[in-house]
Amino acid sequence: MRVAPDWTEYSVIATGDGEKLERWGNLVLLRPDPQIIWHAAKPLRSYKGIDAIYERSSTGGGRWVFNRDGVKTEFVLHWRDLAFSLKLMGFKHTGLFPEQAANWDRMMKLIEGANRKISVLNLFGYTGAASVACKRAGADVCHVDGAKAMVERAGENIRLSGLDNDGMRYIIDDCFKFCKRELKRGKHYDAIILDPPSFGRGPNGEKWKIEEGISELVELVAKLLSDKPLFVCLNSYTTGLQPAVMSNVLRLALPKNAKIDADEIGIATEEGLILPQGCTAFAEF
């Protein structure tokens, strides 16, 4: 298990009975988490100071319920010297996955240690936390996501972190289609990040299901690697994709000199547990 480092403004206070109690800066949120099948030491809803609870609907989805007036639904959170604009959004999200700090730290060290300009392709880039981390480390970054609002938020996070747009590209597109066009254009990248959702749709309704599409996508992006690749990072939040499965996908698609490791990533909780939050397969060259 790889544990996210250096969080001071985010923490998991307590867990149990399918929920996690989190501190996001000055906000305390209670959100569902399907991995938490154990019982809470005490009922989480009995904790004082909870600002908002995400209540699931029996028909799917859900909504935020606020315990007091004036709760800020938009706020800024910092990790090291990076800043992220967050928002209480639909389906329990805030616009950031804190456990990914384990990957941001690793990417930054590799980019900084390369002693050359690194070009990064961030696919399914969401609100751009990994793009911000790579840019801070000195890379040129192409950020791709199918949702305009998420790409705009990525640009905002770049600005909030005191970075400029030199070497940044923001692309609103279906990731498969974009990669195929880049291949035709002869474009190559030194590092590629793949952070696909379990299910999703592109800007024109293109359907995506990770179990059905991930091998083909990795085979495609492998062709986009430069002659001197640095890394490939593949993330999954789907419980059916175990680390060994993800490692196999990379091993079969990438050059033979790739050094591949795969593991769970998680967050250390204030109650002394490690909360698993997905898996990552990482290839270094």
Side-chain angles (χ1 to χ4, degrees), residues 7 9 22 47 67 87 132-133 139 145 177 179 232 256 265:
W7 276 111
E9 295 185 3
E22 304 164 291
Y47 281 78
N67 287 341
K87 179 181 179 180
V132 174
D145 197 275
K177 292 181 178 179
C179 288
V232 174
K256 299 301 182 184
I265 56 175

Side-chain angles (χ1 to χ4, degrees), residues 39-263:
H39 293 305
K42 72 174 186 178
L44 298 188
R45 298 185 184 219
S46 69
Y47 281 78
K48 295 181 180 180
I50 299 176
D51 295 296
I53 299 172
Y54 188 85
E55 297 281 10
R56 285 196 181 278
S57 169
S58 58
T59 58
R63 65 188 182 95
W64 287 100
V65 177
F66 299 99
N67 287 341
R68 61 178 178 84
D69 294 333
V71 173
K72 291 185 177 180
T73 60
E74 297 191 36
F75 54 100
V76 174
L77 200 74
H78 297 85
W79 178 77
R80 295 180 179 170
D81 61 347
L82 307 183
F84 306 109
S85 173
L86 305 186
K87 179 181 179 180
L88 301 189
M89 300 187 291
F91 200 64
K92 75 179 182 180
H93 293 308
T94 65
L96 189 72
F97 295 94
E99 70 279 357
Q100 285 295 321
N103 285 328
W104 308 336
D105 177 69
R106 185 170 182 176
M107 294 170 191
M108 293 176 78
K109 287 176 179 175
L110 287 169
I111 292 168
E112 290 167 350
N115 296 318
R116 58 188 171 97
K117 177 63 74 172
I118 298 297
S119 59
V120 176
L121 174 60
N122 187 9
L123 297 171
F124 307 94
Y126 197 45
T127 59
S131 295
V132 174
C134 291
K135 174 66 173 171
R136 169 64 78 197
D140 291 341
V141 182
C142 179
H143 177 98
V144 186
D145 197 275
K148 180 180 178 182
M150 297 301 101
V151 175
E152 290 175 346
R153 186 64 63 96
E156 184 176 354
N157 289 335
I158 288 287
R159 292 189 295 274
L160 280 173
S161 296
L163 302 170
D164 58 44
N165 279 317
D166 289 345
M168 285 294 306
R169 294 171 67 199
Y170 302 98
I171 307 294
I172 304 166
D173 203 350
D174 173 76
C175 289
F176 255 110
K177 292 181 178 179
F178 175 77
C179 288
K180 289 177 179 177
R181 284 196 293 272
E182 288 287 86
L183 200 57
K184 288 181 179 179
R185 289 188 282 254
K187 183 70 175 179
H188 294 92
Y189 296 88
D190 301 310
I192 300 177
I193 305 164
L194 301 101
D195 201 355
S198 299
F199 303 93
R201 291 183 182 273
N204 297 312
E206 300 90 345
K207 293 182 180 180
W208 164 263
K209 187 175 181 180
I210 192 169
E211 295 91 344
E212 297 174 357
I214 192 60
S215 288
E216 183 181 354
L217 180 60
V218 172
E219 290 167 3
L220 176 60
V221 302
K223 299 175 184 177
L224 288 171
L225 285 171
S226 70
D227 293 335
K228 293 179 63 179
L230 185 64
F231 68 79
V232 174
C233 176
L234 171 63
N235 292 310
S236 173
Y237 306 94
T238 303
T239 54
L241 288 188
Q242 299 301 314
V245 173
M246 297 169 64
S247 175
N248 290 342
V249 169
L250 292 188
R251 196 171 302 279
L252 289 169
L254 298 180
K256 299 301 182 184
N257 66 329
K259 300 175 182 179
I260 299 170
D261 61 84
D263 205 346

